[in-house]
Amino acid sequence: MALDRLDDPDHPVYSMGQAAELLGVTPAFLRSLDASGLLSPGRSGGGHRRYSRHQLDRVAELRELTEHGHTLTSAAEILDLRADLDGERARHAATTEERDRAVQERDTARDERDTARRERDTARRERDDARGGA
């Protein structure tokens, strides 16, 4: 359904004026991000820039970093590195979960093997006792 896109943080719905107003930046700042390749907004049918919520978040982070003395290029690199780090942390967490499940499955299999061996040994003793007592 078309309304589902409203919940999509990557769907470009904000005009440049709306984005600038929400972020407290000038349209010229947004244009400069586009021109430098640091942000690639979507385009409307008429060619007007449209920004997604994720892009608005990125602009806010870029602005914050530039206010702390970083150039736009270094601010973008910092954000890219943070995103890479977040991705690696997520992959590490997934790998750790997978390893933990494998260890648990291994331990369960060992417990089942040990139980089967005990049952087998008990059955052998009972069989041997029955043979010896006859």
Side-chain angles (χ1 to χ4, degrees):
M1 174 181 243
L3 292 178
D4 292 341
R5 292 184 298 182
L6 294 175
D7 293 327
D8 181 0
D10 291 314
H11 185 68
V13 295
Y14 299 96
S15 69
M16 182 186 299
Q18 291 170 320
E21 184 178 334
L22 287 168
L23 296 168
V25 299
T26 64
F29 180 72
L30 294 174
R31 280 191 293 277
S32 72
L33 294 177
D34 188 11
S36 65
L38 297 177
L39 192 69
S40 298
R43 297 285 178 162
S44 69
H48 299 283
R49 291 174 180 88
R50 293 287 184 257
Y51 298 88
S52 69
R53 287 196 314 262
H54 276 154
Q55 289 175 322
L56 295 183
D57 290 340
R58 184 170 175 86
V59 172
E61 290 172 326
L62 286 169
R63 180 178 174 217
E64 182 178 339
L65 287 168
T66 58
E67 287 175 352
H68 285 92
H70 293 279
T71 65
L72 276 176
T73 303
S74 69
E77 184 66 22
I78 288 168
L79 295 182
D80 292 343
L81 289 170
R82 285 178 183 170
D84 290 347
L85 181 58
D86 289 344
E88 289 302 319
R89 284 179 175 155
R91 279 188 286 283
H92 179 266
T95 302
T96 300
E97 286 179 27
E98 184 178 335
R99 182 207 60 211
D100 291 347
R101 278 193 306 274
V103 166
Q104 186 176 13
E105 289 173 10
R106 181 205 62 202
D107 291 346
T108 299
R110 285 180 176 172
D111 290 344
E112 290 171 356
R113 179 201 63 200
D114 293 345
T115 298
R117 285 180 176 169
R118 281 192 301 276
E119 290 172 356
R120 179 199 63 200
D121 293 344
T122 300
R124 284 181 178 169
R125 276 193 303 276
E126 290 172 355
R127 181 196 67 204
D128 292 345
D129 288 346
R131 285 183 183 167

